[in-house]
Amino acid sequence: MSGLTIAVVGATGLVGRVLLQVLEQRRFPVGALLPFNSGRRAGAVRFRGRAVAARGVTLDALAKARLVFMVSSDEVSLRWGRALAERGVWVIDDSSAFRLAEDVPLVIPEVNAGALSPRRRLIAGPNCTLTGAAVAAWPLIRRAGARAARLASYQAISGAGREALEEFRAQLRGAAGVLRKSDPLGIPQLAPARALPRMSAFNVIPQVGSFNRDGECSEEVKVRGELRKIWGLPGLPVSATTVRVPVIRGHSLAFWLEARRPLSPGAARRTLENAPGVRLWKEGSYPTPLEEGESWPVHVARIRQGTNPRELAFWIVSDNLLKGAALNSVQIAEALLKKRWL
Ligand SMILES: NC(=O)c1ccc[n+]([C@@H]2O[C@H](COP(=O)([O-])OP(=O)(O)OC[C@H]3O[C@@H](n4cnc5c(N)ncnc54)[C@H](OP(=O)(O)O)[C@@H]3O)[C@@H](O)[C@H]2O)c1
């Protein structure tokens, strides 16, 4: 059998399923696939047209793999990630467990593939909310520096995992009957929210994660810490307001970059025209998550002057499950292959 033995922990989840599709689509050299789930229920995944049973994790079972994708939860990654890397297994982790650890590279290949090293076998992928901004702004930061970054997010429900998506879908199903009967301005009373802090159907929720003492939610803290690490700008002021919206797939951002040197919208457009991983939209047109939520590139549009000649405003859409997770992880693995480390 040629090809690598690849394990996916969380293969039955939203990111896991998309990851398997990406491995197939990009013809990643998978010799044997080992899918893992919680072990609490029977689960199977489809890969190359066949059903493959997923099973509960043990260290010995995982250590049979050359590369393990961890797409499950912080707790699961904390439990197995370092132990596997110490055994010489490459681990690409999509949870937030190790992203800010000093000895773990946090990688978006278009931005900082140079952070990869043959000695660092545990690698983190970034939070899905900031990926679009990280990719889109990087060529501009290289050209004109960065003084500050600001964003407001419009985050899809799938970014919160399978349970949140199921809750959202159940609310929509419940709403259909209510809408037929009620006053057009009436607010449907649906099943209570459990997976998310408020009802997600027909709503926007200005809370992603839990709040800290300063009133920031954990997603906002992640955006700042991870952007600083990925761009290699440790003191960069970053302000974020992260918001969940009733979209199934695809995160959108209103994003502002304040450069160190003047940067016109025209110069930014020219810089982004052929930037890696970016699809630049023509002036007057723009992407929406409904139309572009399942595509590979980071979509950038509506580039305008901000509050001063150094600040630009952008509209950015990127898929939380692809570039925000599965695609980015496979691209990291491809970079390891290219270097012949894998
Ligand atoms: N969703 C996104 O857009 C996104 C983007 C970037 C990063 N991430 C990160 O990617 C990870 C997965 O997210 P997701 O949205 O795919 O979650 P999800 O849909 O809730 O799926 C979770 C997966 O983890 C498995 N799992 C649960 N407990 C486990 C255990 N003890 N041992 C092994 N597997 C276990 C589940 O298996 P069962 O089927 O048995 O329950 C399922 O396959 C999370 O760390 C998340 O933060 C997600």
Side-chain angles (χ1 to χ4, degrees), residues 104-301:
V104 176
L106 174 63
V107 176
I108 298 180
E110 293 90 337
V111 180
N112 65 340
L116 295 169
S117 150
R119 288 176 306 283
R120 300 203 163 168
R121 298 211 164 198
L122 173 57
I123 301 159
N127 176 286
C128 46
T129 305
L130 56 97
T131 319
V135 171
W138 180 237
L140 305 171
I141 293 175
R142 289 180 66 175
R143 179 180 175 141
R147 198 172 261 187
R150 303 173 180 88
L151 66 83
S153 70
Y154 307 78
Q155 298 181 220
I157 309 291
S158 61
R162 191 177 55 196
E163 219 180 299
L165 190 58
E166 277 166 15
E167 180 172 288
F168 176 62
R169 285 164 57 89
Q171 287 170 357
L172 290 185
R173 279 194 295 274
V178 178
L179 288 176
R180 267 198 298 276
K181 286 184 206 147
S182 63
D183 153 16
L185 285 177
I187 297 166
Q189 296 302 314
L190 304 174
R194 291 202 175 81
L196 291 172
R198 296 283 202 285
M199 189 172 115
S200 48
F202 310 102
N203 212 356
V204 296
I205 310 171
Q207 177 187 357
V208 181
S210 53
F211 287 111
N212 67 16
R213 285 187 183 177
D214 299 325
E216 287 184 301
C217 53
S218 45
E219 191 86 336
E220 292 158 358
V221 176
K222 287 179 193 174
V223 167
R224 179 168 50 242
E226 294 182 30
L227 280 178
R228 285 173 170 174
K229 180 168 175 177
I230 291 164
W231 288 335
L233 298 170
L236 184 74
V238 178
S239 173
T241 299
T242 55
V243 182
R244 190 75 64 191
V245 297
V247 162
I248 290 178
R249 187 167 172 173
H251 287 354
S252 308
L253 301 175
F255 175 71
W256 292 264
L257 175 69
E258 190 169 342
R260 293 211 155 267
R261 296 176 287 283
L263 184 62
S264 69
R269 294 187 67 82
R270 286 191 294 281
T271 306
L272 290 178
E273 241 155 28
N274 297 309
V278 170
R279 177 174 166 208
L280 180 65
W281 286 59
K282 286 199 176 70
E283 280 174 84
S285 64
Y286 56 83
T288 67
L290 188 63
E291 289 148 321
E292 301 300 335
E294 267 185 74
S295 65
W296 286 359
V298 169
H299 298 268
V300 183

Side-chain angles (χ1 to χ4, degrees), residues 10 12-15 37-38 41 71-72 76 94-95 158-159 161-162 320 324:
T12 50
L14 297 183
V15 177
N37 67 355
S38 67
R41 61 187 110 200
V71 289
S72 173
V76 173
D94 262 323
S95 81
S158 61
R162 191 177 55 196
N320 50 298

Side-chain angles (χ1 to χ4, degrees), residues 59-70:
L59 187 57
D60 286 339
L62 276 181
K64 291 195 171 81
R66 179 87 177 118
L67 165 65
V68 176
F69 291 101
M70 306 223 64

